[in-house]
Amino acid sequence: MTRQAPLELGEKPIPQLLFQYALPSIVAMTATSTLNIVDRIFIGQGVGPLAIAGLASTLPFMNLGAAFGAMVGVGTGAVISIRLGQEKYDTALRVLGNAVTLNIIIGLLFAVICWIFLDPLLILFGASQNTLPYARDYMQVLLIGNVISHSYLGLNNVIRAAGHPTKSMLCTILAVGLNCVLDPLFIYGFHWGIRGGAIATVIAQTASFVWQLFILSNPSEVLHLQRGIYRVSLKIIRQIIAIGMSPFLMNCCACLVVIFINTGMRKYGDLLPIPGGGDRAIAAYGIDNSVIFFFLMIVVGINQGMQPIAGYNWGARKNERVWEVLRYAILVATVITSIGFFIGELAPEFVVSMFTKDKHIIEIAARGFRIDVLVFPVVGTQMVISNLFQNIGHAGKSIILSLTRQALFLLPGLYLLPLLWGLDGVWTAIPIADALSIILALIMLGWLIRHVRRAELSSHTR
């Protein structure tokens, strides 16, 4: 396997390679985003519209949790891959042990700090006195199980880095499948309300985490859990954090964006001539966000499949294969986001009504959905180009593309446009930021292609 994989990356037809490497990631990402949708459907239909709004105010917590999870998970996966490639198996084992220890420490600290300041943070993130009890009930359960949830997400990256992408995918599918079974049982059958949805999530992730431990306990595998590998090494921790800092910053910025959006939804939603307009606007955003997240996660799966192909061929100086995988990835990503565009423009009421029967939320969410996806077909291209820069070692440019979209384009828009158009201005800031981001991405891609072409011409003329 260690010899065959690099050979096929440089020789196998690109469409076949992209399908082979992207499919497990797409399935895993689709399963994760499906869980996000199913959770909200059961809670919205089984508990009510205020519960949906309360759930939306917990999104920044999810972003922060994802930030720390990505920092440890992505950093650990990358360091382990490098050490295995160098045949430094003892070091790879110590990286695994340090990742386990780091996940436990961060998981505990995150849970304790968030628990202490839970109510003020939820209010900051958009909860009102009406939705705060729902948000609190949901987050308290998740925080109790946070160490396991955090470790489960981190170990999935380790299993993938150890050469088992299918097992990593199956762990995700197990968590999602079990969650979908337990959600209706706990919410409807046991009448546990929004707490039931959170309990279902924690139990499902715990079951998957136990399976991950079983996978990583096999002594016949090069990478497996054993005594003596858990002692903290500052050198290893620094390596993990250095590589994981990019996705950490991106997720932190995403958290800030959600806070601004929820704040705008509350402020301008309260101006609507309907009772509880702010709460209903936040609920509408939570619904739209979960549906759009579904399509974006498929693109993330495509990017994960593209990563080893682009990285290997860039290192092997097979640039035409890099451009080819870029073209195919953009094509597939554009098809996916275009499907999201057509659903958002043609049938938003149908999609939103799966989550709630509240006519005001349906009206707000449907209008917001149509605005939100105005330039959605090109969003996949922007994501793929940003991913390419990361794949070929230009992580700084990838960070610039991501942070520019959120910090430079979106945040000012979320402040300025609502002054002109009220609630519509909050929604409109999103497609405008997307449009500006794709322009910047294409400019940077054009620079990269010209730079590579000049280098190729220079080498041929010598």
Side-chain angles (χ1 to χ4, degrees), residues 318-380:
K318 296 183 177 181
N319 295 329
E320 289 308 315
R321 288 178 62 82
V322 176
W323 308 138
E324 188 179 359
V325 74
L326 175 66
R327 288 195 298 271
Y328 277 105
I330 287 176
L331 175 63
V332 178
T334 301
V335 169
I336 297 301
T337 51
S338 294
I339 293 172
F341 166 78
F342 286 115
I343 290 174
E345 294 297 337
L346 300 177
E349 292 88 357
F350 172 76
V351 174
V352 175
S353 64
M354 292 191 298
F355 295 82
T356 180
K357 299 304 180 186
D358 186 293
K359 64 178 183 179
H360 297 301
I361 294 178
I362 292 174
E363 182 180 346
I364 297 170
R367 181 173 178 82
F369 205 159
R370 286 193 171 96
I371 297 172
D372 207 348
V373 298
L374 279 173
V375 298
F376 205 52
V378 301
V379 169

Side-chain angles (χ1 to χ4, degrees), residues 12-24:
K12 212 177 210 180
I14 291 295
Q16 186 178 347
L17 272 176
L18 187 60
F19 178 82
Q20 173 186 334
Y21 279 79
L23 184 61

Side-chain angles (χ1 to χ4, degrees), residues 392-438:
I392 63 176
H394 293 217
K397 294 182 176 64
S398 178
I399 294 174
I400 288 172
L401 280 175
S402 179
L403 295 187
T404 298
R405 186 258 178 193
Q406 298 180 88
L408 188 61
F409 299 149
L410 185 50
L411 289 180
L414 289 171
Y415 175 75
L416 295 173
L417 295 180
L419 298 176
L420 301 174
W421 301 322
L423 189 61
D424 280 354
V426 182
W427 294 112
T428 305
I430 297 171
I432 288 178
D434 289 334
L436 294 173
S437 296
I438 185 59

Side-chain angles (χ1 to χ4, degrees), residues 211-292:
W211 189 20
Q212 289 173 332
L213 293 178
F214 176 76
I215 293 171
L216 291 171
S217 297
N218 185 355
S220 65
E221 291 281 346
V222 172
L223 202 65
H224 62 278
L225 299 171
Q226 58 181 269
R227 291 183 179 179
I229 64 173
Y230 307 103
R231 181 176 297 175
V232 172
S233 165
L234 293 180
K235 180 180 179 182
I236 291 175
I237 297 296
R238 281 196 296 268
Q239 291 171 346
I240 291 173
I241 293 177
I243 295 176
M245 188 54 63
S246 170
F248 174 79
L249 292 174
M250 292 178 188
N251 279 284
C252 284
C253 199
C255 172
L256 187 62
V257 165
V258 172
I259 293 172
F260 267 73
I261 291 176
N262 278 350
T263 301
M265 291 290 167
R266 170 156 310 287
K267 178 179 179 180
Y268 295 99
D270 280 337
L271 300 179
L272 297 175
I274 57 174
D279 289 335
R280 284 178 160 82
I282 290 176
Y285 169 68
I287 292 171
D288 288 357
N289 182 70
S290 64
V291 178
I292 288 172

Side-chain angles (χ1 to χ4, degrees), residues 44-63:
Q45 298 289 0
V47 186
L50 288 179
I52 284 281
L55 202 59
S57 66
T58 69
L59 284 175
F61 280 109
M62 307 306 171
N63 289 124

